[in-house]
Amino acid sequence: MFVPLRRLAMTLAAATAVAGAHAADNVKIGFLSTLSGPGAGLGIDIRDGFNLALKHTGGKLGGLPAEVIVADDQQSPDAARQTTERLLKRDKVDFMTGVVFSNVMLAVGQPIFASKTFYVSANAGPSQYAGEQCNPYFFNVAWQNDNLHEAVGKTVADKGFKKVALLAPNYPAGKDALTGFKRYYKGEVVQEIYTRLGQLDYAPELAQVRASQPDAMYIFLPGGMGINFIKQFVASGLSKDVTLFGPGFSADEDVIRAVGEPMLGMFNTSQWAHDMDNAQNKRFVADFQKEYGRLPSLYASQGYDAAMLIDAAVRAVKGKIEDKEAVRRALKAANFKSVRGAFKFNTNHYPVQDYYLRVVSKDGQGRVTNRTLGTVFKNHADAYVGACKMQ
């Protein structure tokens, strides 16, 4: 059983017209995420990062008492859509966040935007919302789906690998992932395999990979999918001949905890790392370990930043959250201290940021964890921003 974020305040904000907007009594957050099933670890990390930020802000966002209503989307677009309608119509939330998977995000976006409710994404970054379907009510503090994969594609190319096998789940983020990888990798792709979302047995795929004899393999398999694949990849003996690469979320702390030493030497990319040297990140990492007894993942860092962005925006409008245009400007300004350091939005409300290469290794305490090796991209923007016509 997963323990939800506790409700931090129970008073309802009085509804006011924008023309006479005054400071609300509280701010309501609809936190909809995957909290059960194979992808639950990701939603739990986002939730715990968000919760830690609220502890740092004294249970308030922008000075207003925060009420967080937590719901499990069950990794189901249909269930997520129904729950979203309830959060918008019955609970009348002021902001929404928490969705992990892009197919879920695409299912809930339309009703959220139609209700003029701001969505701050702590993970899902579909290409649709970066390009032609960009929306003034959508802000993403994580990345656009392709970006981490682009960074790995460049890394694999730079390291001189000539033949690569690719594996991802057959859903929007999986397709964005391999598109992003191939945008920067121009060698031979000997296998491009799409699996069922949530698949846990990879014997047929591993046989395909073995037959194609690549010198490197790239996977995007979030949550339990990645855990099972890496275990099976190593057990099959393929790791002796094939170098494994992944995005940060296929080689992050949640996966490392489950797989352990077989992950040593795996390269991955991320916009964040727990060893980043800035004051906000040091506080976040230390307090997360103290609070939850584990190192934070990039999902947790994104949940933390989502809360801090909302906190900064509500503070900037002095609690007048009914003034949608003022809130939009405040969100766009991104005047908060991100755990990754400097942060700014592009014109499509996706980040322009650095991406780093990490490797799974043992730290000074003997823990298997990620170590940052260097920067792959500086101030990197997504490939779809030019199609966004948002004023």
Side-chain angles (χ1 to χ4, degrees):
M1 177 176 289
F2 304 112
V3 181
L5 281 165
R6 59 191 178 91
R7 293 194 176 191
L8 296 167
M10 299 304 294
T11 56
L12 294 176
T16 60
V18 171
H22 58 75
D25 298 318
N26 75 346
V27 57
K28 270 190 168 185
I29 309 295
F31 187 97
L32 176 68
S33 197
T34 301
L35 300 171
S36 60
L42 319 184
I44 290 168
D45 271 9
I46 294 171
R47 181 201 66 190
D48 289 351
F50 196 94
N51 201 18
L52 180 62
L54 287 176
K55 185 170 185 179
H56 284 172
T57 60
K60 296 181 178 182
L61 290 169
L64 296 179
E67 180 183 352
V68 182
I69 302 169
V70 176
D72 182 7
D73 63 28
Q74 303 167 57
Q75 206 174 318
S76 162
D78 290 337
R81 195 180 296 110
Q82 292 173 13
T83 305
T84 295
E85 294 286 350
R86 189 194 76 215
L87 290 166
L88 295 171
K89 294 177 180 177
R90 188 193 73 183
D91 299 309
K92 299 188 183 338
V93 296
D94 302 301
F95 297 87
M96 284 191 64
T97 190
V99 170
V100 176
F101 292 92
S102 287
N103 58 330
V104 174
M105 188 67 244
L106 291 169
V108 302
Q110 192 278 328
I112 294 171
F113 306 151
S115 71
K116 298 184 177 180
T117 301
F118 288 103
Y119 189 89
V120 176
S121 181
N123 197 67
S127 57
Q128 291 90 335
Y129 291 166
E132 292 182 357
Q133 296 179 42
C134 62
N135 194 283
Y137 289 93
F138 182 84
F139 288 82
N140 184 300
V141 296
W143 25 256
Q144 192 278 314
N145 282 349
D146 300 27
N147 291 156
L148 270 68
H149 315 285
E150 291 170 343
V152 186
K154 184 178 187 303
T155 298
V156 174
D158 289 349
K159 287 183 176 291
F161 290 97
K162 304 299 183 186
K163 296 171 63 178
V164 178
L166 309 179
L167 180 68
N170 189 16
Y171 82 118
K175 293 175 181 177
D176 284 350
L178 299 195
T179 297
F181 181 92
K182 290 184 292 182
R183 189 172 287 125
Y184 282 85
Y185 178 75
K186 301 304 180 184
E188 183 184 358
V189 175
V190 295
Q191 288 281 346
E192 184 170 335
I193 306 168
Y194 288 96
T195 69
R196 178 176 53 82
L197 184 61
Q199 183 171 321
L200 297 176
D201 179 15
Y202 295 97
E205 289 79 9
L206 288 167
Q208 283 180 261
V209 171
R210 187 183 299 279
S212 64
Q213 297 184 319
D215 51 8
M217 182 168 188
Y218 179 67
I219 62 166
F220 164 58
L221 295 167
M225 293 180 285
I227 291 167
N228 277 34
F229 178 84
I230 295 168
K231 287 179 177 179
Q232 292 165 35
F233 177 82
V234 173
S236 74
L238 272 170
S239 61
K240 296 172 185 173
D241 303 309
V242 181
T243 303
L244 189 62
F245 292 84
F249 24 74
S250 291
D252 215 336
E253 302 308 315
D254 54 324
V255 181
I256 291 170
R257 282 193 300 274
V259 177
E261 293 203 4
M263 289 194 69
L264 288 170
M266 182 174 173
F267 293 99
N268 64 96
T269 59
S270 179
Q271 85 289 6
W272 170 87
H274 64 73
D275 57 359
M276 292 182 75
D277 189 13
N278 68 72
Q280 189 76 355
N281 193 51
K282 287 180 175 179
R283 182 190 184 199
F284 163 69
V285 172
D287 288 357
F288 192 95
Q289 289 181 91
K290 211 176 297 179
E291 189 78 11
Y292 303 111
R294 66 185 192 273
L295 279 167
S297 66
L298 67 86
Y299 298 102
S301 78
Q302 293 160 188
Y304 185 91
D305 273 0
M308 288 305 191
L309 173 63
I310 296 171
D311 175 67
V314 175
R315 180 174 293 103
V317 300
K318 297 180 170 57
K320 298 175 183 177
I321 53 179
E322 297 83 3
D323 187 343
K324 301 289 186 178
E325 187 54 40
V327 173
R328 184 180 298 112
R329 289 195 302 268
L331 288 168
K332 172 76 175 178
N335 189 22
F336 74 105
K337 291 181 179 178
S338 169
V339 294
R340 75 203 80 173
F343 183 97
K344 64 181 177 181
F345 283 119
N346 209 333
T347 53
N348 60 354
H349 297 171
Y350 277 74
V352 177
Q353 59 189 349
D354 299 345
Y355 290 88
Y356 306 95
L357 180 63
R358 310 185 304 185
V359 65
V360 180
S361 56
K362 285 189 177 180
D363 68 7
Q365 301 175 45
R367 298 178 299 187
V368 179
T369 186
N370 274 296
R371 176 169 56 87
T372 303
L373 295 176
T375 304
V376 181
F377 289 133
K378 290 287 291 181
N379 293 320
H380 188 62
D382 66 83
Y384 305 96
V385 63
C388 174
K389 304 306 180 187
M390 179 169 53
Q391 295 299 315

